[in-house]
Amino acid sequence: MGSKPAVAVFGAYGHTGRFVVAHLRERGFAPVLSGRDAGKLEALAASASASGLDARPASAGAPDSLDRALAGTAAVINCAGPFATTAAPVIEAALRAGIPYVDVTGEIESGVDTFADFTGRARAAGAVIVPAMAFYGGLGDLLVTAAMGDWTAADEAHIAYALSNWHPTTGTRATSKVSRLRRGGRRIRYADGQLEYRDDASPTLQWPFPDPIGPRAVIGEFTTVDVVTVPSHLSISDVHTHMTVEAAREVLAPDTPTPAATDAYGRSAQTFLVDAVVRRSGTERRAVARGRDIYAVTAPLAVEAVHRILTRRTRATGVASAGKMFDAPDFLRALSQHISVELH
């Protein structure tokens, strides 16, 4: 089972959860499988990819079951959405167990709630809570933080996403629905140092992606959880995220299929480029990341976060995003097998 500690994965049988379990095993950890569906847990535990792993059914609505699931583990990674339902109960269980908590939420509202509801308690307890440690939220925050370098403030940050396609998982569809309901169908943007809820349509604009992609039409202010993670620790008054038009249309279309595995690891053929730009007084700095499969790449992000927390390579206690909690350039270098990063 490896020499490193046991790490609970809540929502282990989900699309992203399976990647997290596999990557934990690759890194020498002993994943503890958890989630509310006992049948799916048993099926996962019986599969070749999770053979011999401990399976512990648990429900966000049953604190005792969560306590049993986390017993004897060194950390928990929450992969179970909607995080509006699961984040707070699993964080509470992690606080009771005295272990760090990491999640992979893409829900803006869940990220806001975690900072608002747990910052004081987690800091007082000396606990470590890292929300949105995923492709959205975590990667963008690391890139912006690395691009900032020695700047202590910037006027604006832009994170532009170029995805070759976006076939959403059932979890993505479920969490997106919850988010839309929570904001009453309005869209969100981060401007003048605060979140704004708006009824107008998002703008369409041209974004100058690096070669070989080049200028592409994007949905401007296609807002992701990066607008929570980045301004949680960086002094930037405007933070905007943008998505290539084709990918935005695909993820919103009701008939777009789920991701299809094209290799032994289970990754899809999807590729991505993330272009993070910070601007201050007419000067621009940039960090660019390239890789494959936004769901699969969440696993090394979340697992590297747990590894660094458990080996005490952190820069904060309490609730903190990736860029605040970790040395951003060093963290990105550690992902070189999964993500190619360039700083300009």
Side-chain angles (χ1 to χ4, degrees), residues 81 120 138 141 225 272 316:
D141 185 33
V225 72
F272 63 79

Side-chain angles (χ1 to χ4, degrees), residues 138-148 274-276 287-289 328 332 341 343:
L139 179 58
D141 185 33
L142 290 166
L143 292 171
V144 169
T145 304
M148 287 281 285
V274 185
D275 189 20
V288 180
L332 290 167
V341 177
L343 297 176

Side-chain angles (χ1 to χ4, degrees), residues 77-125:
I77 302 175
N78 183 7
C79 301
F83 293 87
T85 301
T86 67
V90 181
I91 292 172
E92 293 283 5
L95 289 172
R96 290 193 299 272
I99 62 174
Y101 168 95
V102 171
D103 73 31
V104 298
T105 185
E107 298 167 38
I108 296 170
E109 299 79 12
S110 173
V112 169
D113 289 347
T114 296
F115 277 98
D117 297 341
F118 292 99
T119 293
R121 287 178 56 197
R123 186 180 297 119

Side-chain angles (χ1 to χ4, degrees), residues 24-333:
L24 282 167
R25 295 193 89 174
E26 289 176 11
R27 295 289 299 268
F29 289 94
V32 173
L33 314 177
S34 190
R36 62 181 172 269
D37 191 316
K40 290 181 179 179
L41 275 182
E42 290 175 6
L44 176 60
S47 68
S49 63
S51 176
L53 297 182
D54 190 4
R56 305 177 186 178
S59 169
D64 289 350
S65 70
L66 289 172
D67 291 343
R68 289 191 293 272
L70 303 192
T73 64
V76 57
I77 302 175
N78 183 7
C79 301
F83 293 87
T85 301
T86 67
V90 181
I91 292 172
E92 293 283 5
L95 289 172
R96 290 193 299 272
I99 62 174
Y101 168 95
V102 171
D103 73 31
V104 298
T105 185
E107 298 167 38
I108 296 170
E109 299 79 12
S110 173
V112 169
D113 289 347
T114 296
F115 277 98
D117 297 341
F118 292 99
T119 293
R121 287 178 56 197
R123 186 180 297 119
V128 172
I129 296 173
V130 185
M133 193 63 242
F135 178 78
Y136 296 113
L139 179 58
D141 185 33
L142 290 166
L143 292 171
V144 169
T145 304
M148 287 281 285
D150 59 354
W151 287 358
T152 58
D155 301 321
E156 57 188 278
H158 296 264
I159 306 171
Y161 292 96
L163 309 185
S164 61
N165 61 70
W166 191 355
H167 294 177
T169 64
T170 54
T172 294
R173 290 198 183 279
T175 57
S176 296
K177 181 178 180 180
V178 168
S179 288
R180 286 195 300 272
L181 289 172
R182 290 190 68 180
R183 68 181 72 141
R186 296 174 294 173
R187 70 181 184 91
I188 297 178
R189 73 170 187 167
Y190 187 88
D192 297 323
Q194 62 183 356
L195 290 173
E196 296 180 354
Y197 292 80
R198 301 175 63 97
D199 294 312
D200 60 336
S202 298
T204 300
L205 50 93
Q206 288 285 311
W207 185 263
F209 288 102
D211 291 334
I213 293 177
R216 291 280 298 275
V218 298
I219 302 298
E221 299 173 6
F222 187 96
T223 305
T224 60
V225 72
D226 302 281
V227 301
V228 177
T229 56
V230 171
S232 72
H233 70 105
L234 294 175
S235 180
I236 306 176
S237 59
D238 290 358
V239 179
H240 302 298
T241 58
H242 317 296
M243 180 65 64
T244 45
V245 168
E246 298 83 358
R249 287 174 178 163
E250 279 190 311
V251 74
L252 295 173
D255 57 349
T256 301
T258 57
T262 58
D263 66 12
Y265 190 67
R267 296 180 301 173
S268 73
Q270 178 203 59
T271 58
F272 63 79
L273 183 149
V274 185
D275 189 20
V277 176
V278 292
R279 295 172 180 150
R280 185 183 75 172
S281 302
T283 301
E284 182 175 284
R285 291 178 173 179
R286 167 178 264 135
V288 180
R290 295 175 172 86
R292 176 180 173 185
D293 193 325
I294 65 174
Y295 297 107
V297 83
T298 286
L301 281 158
V303 174
E304 180 65 20
V306 166
H307 172 66
R308 287 177 179 244
I309 293 167
L310 295 180
T311 55
R312 304 187 181 220
R313 286 186 287 164
T314 54
R315 294 183 162 187
T317 56
V319 181
S321 67
K324 173 72 171 177
M325 185 63 70
F326 309 110
D327 178 330
D330 186 63
F331 194 110
L332 290 167
R333 284 192 293 270

